[in-house]
Structure formats: C-alpha cells, structure tokens
Amino acid sequence: KQEVTQIPAALSVPEGENLVLNCSFTDSAIYNLQWFRQDPGKGLTSLLLIQSSQREQTSGRLNASLDKSSGRSTLYIAASQPGDSATYLCATRKLTQGGSEKLVFGKGTKLTVNP
Amino acid sequence: EPEVTQTPSHQVTQMGQEVILRCVPISNHLYFYWYRQILGQKVEFLVSFYNNEISEKSEIFDDQFSVERPDGSNFTLKIRSTKLEDSAMYFCASSDFVTPAAFFGQGTRLTVV
C-alpha cells in the first residue's frame, strides 16, 4: 500500500527566499507524480506533473524533480512571494490495466511567505 | 481554460438525510473520481469511474455511497444516510489518456449536523 510523506509539515520563510519541499513515497512503481497547491478552504490546483520516465518538470519559478528509485520528489520554489503562501500537496498515481488509477496524497506542507 | 465544476459549494444536512453532490467534469475526459478531505487530514480517494462503471473504490466507499453519470455531462456522488463523520470537503476530478494530470473541482463542503 502506497504511503506518501511530506516534510516539513509547515515552513515559514521571508519573501525572496528559494525553498525546497520534500515528498517521499514507499512504492516506486508509480505512473506519475503530481504537485498541487491548495489555498485554505479551496480546491486543488495542479502545479506540475512528472511522468515516471522523467526526472524533472519546470513551470515558471517552480521546478519539480523525481527520483523514482529512491522514492523521492522535490518541489523547488525560486524567489518566493507572499502569494505563494498555501499548502502544497504531493500525490502519486499507479497505472493498472484498467487505466488511470487513484491518486495517493501526502498530508502537505503549509508554506507561509512573509513580506 | 476548461475546468471541473462542482455544486453546491457548501451543503448542510441533518444526520440520516440523503445528499447528492454534483460535478461537471471536463468534456472529453474519460476518467472521473471522487475524493474527500476531512478537516486537517489527507485527501483520500473514494471511487473512480470509467466507461460507465466503477473501476475502483476504497474501503470508505461502502453501501451508503453511490455514483452515477446520469447524462453525458454530470457525475454525481450520493450518500444515502449521512453520518456526522461524513462531514468533509468532497472533490470531484477528471482526467484523460492524453494528459493524465488529474484536474480537480473547487469542492463541496458537506456539513452533517
């Protein structure tokens, strides 16, 4: 059974700092890994998706890496801004014969960027 | 940009009542999902739906839950007799083969009193 862990649970940084959020998973047989952003009381916004054959994906100030063999992914945020304050969730998906399967989520890292 | 739409955004119901949560997935997506998030806890998978049938369900998804795609656009989650512990944010999601990223709706906050 897949377990996804995110460390740290909470992180507070000053504006402008570069930071790294960590995600680890126990079953390396994943199809892809997706990073989401969740604002308080809101839905999940997809940030980046990394296929199992890829090592990293970039979107603007965000860079996500994947090391499947060690069961780890990181989300790097460059030049953080107060608007980046949110909870960041990592989720893995395992593909079965029937098609795309469920996502297994970590508990998230709550990021606060202070002006 | 296409999006997943959920209604209502917030629903309050009495224990034992039936509720139906509604979702309009992204058109031409083939896979549909329901997840829930109890306050302060992880987002948990409930059920996946493909080709007009359930493809997988979790242990949470017991006989009190059912899903339906009544027409070409809507996807619903029914809870027959709500319990206090069903209070949570319920998320609908959809995906397809081409871009397998899952797209989530804004959620329905269900409060059972």
Side-chain angles (χ1 to χ4, degrees):
Chain A
K1 181 185 172 187
Q2 178 75 286
E3 295 286 340
V4 178
T5 304
Q6 292 187 247
I7 294 172
L11 181 64
S12 182
V13 300
E15 182 177 1
E17 193 161 296
N18 302 325
L19 57 101
V20 175
L21 307 181
N22 297 292
C23 171
S24 61
F25 46 94
T26 54
D27 183 355
S28 61
I30 62 170
Y31 177 55
N32 59 44
L33 183 143
Q34 200 166 352
W35 282 91
F36 294 88
R37 170 186 172 136
Q38 184 176 31
D39 292 287
K42 301 293 185 184
L44 306 177
T45 301
S46 180
L47 298 173
L48 289 164
L49 179 140
I50 310 178
Q51 297 284 42
S52 61
S53 57
Q54 297 175 321
R55 296 298 298 263
E56 64 179 272
Q57 280 287 329
T58 299
S59 175
R61 293 183 293 109
L62 305 180
N63 176 277
S65 69
L66 174 64
D67 185 342
K68 232 179 63 158
S69 60
S70 67
R72 295 180 189 218
S73 176
T74 61
L75 179 66
Y76 174 82
I77 303 177
S80 57
Q81 302 169 358
D84 295 331
S85 297
T87 296
Y88 291 81
L89 303 176
C90 156
T92 63
R93 178 189 276 109
K94 187 170 182 176
L95 188 63
T96 67
Q97 272 191 321
S100 194
E101 204 185 270
K102 65 184 180 187
L103 289 167
V104 178
F105 283 83
K107 204 170 179 182
T109 294
K110 184 176 180 180
L111 173 65
T112 303
V113 181
N114 301 300
Chain B
E1 184 175 311
E3 59 181 18
V4 176
T5 306
Q6 290 186 244
T7 55
S9 57
H10 190 189
Q11 179 147 5
V12 181
T13 188
Q14 289 202 323
M15 192 168 53
Q17 294 296 304
E18 174 183 287
V19 295
I20 297 176
L21 309 183
R22 302 180 191 279
C23 169
V24 178
I26 294 174
S27 63
N28 78 11
H29 276 191
L30 301 174
Y31 297 93
F32 313 111
Y33 311 86
W34 284 100
Y35 292 80
R36 79 172 186 189
Q37 185 179 33
I38 295 171
L39 190 63
Q41 297 188 24
K42 289 184 179 185
V43 177
E44 303 172 286
F45 168 79
L46 291 179
V47 65
S48 59
F49 192 85
Y50 170 70
N51 201 24
N52 286 320
E53 61 183 21
I54 291 173
S55 51
E56 187 180 2
K57 59 183 181 180
S58 71
E59 58 274 12
I60 303 168
F61 195 88
D62 61 21
D63 292 345
Q64 292 300 310
F65 291 88
S66 63
V67 289
E68 196 175 43
R69 187 156 163 83
D71 52 43
S73 60
N74 291 287
F75 181 50
T76 62
L77 174 69
K78 181 192 290 185
I79 310 175
R80 286 190 185 80
S81 178
T82 50
K83 307 183 188 72
L84 294 175
E85 54 265 37
D86 293 328
S87 294
M89 182 77 98
Y90 287 81
F91 294 109
C92 173
S94 67
S95 65
D96 65 12
F97 287 117
V98 177
T99 51
F103 290 86
F104 281 72
Q106 289 299 299
T108 293
R109 179 166 297 285
L110 176 66
T111 304
V112 182
V113 298

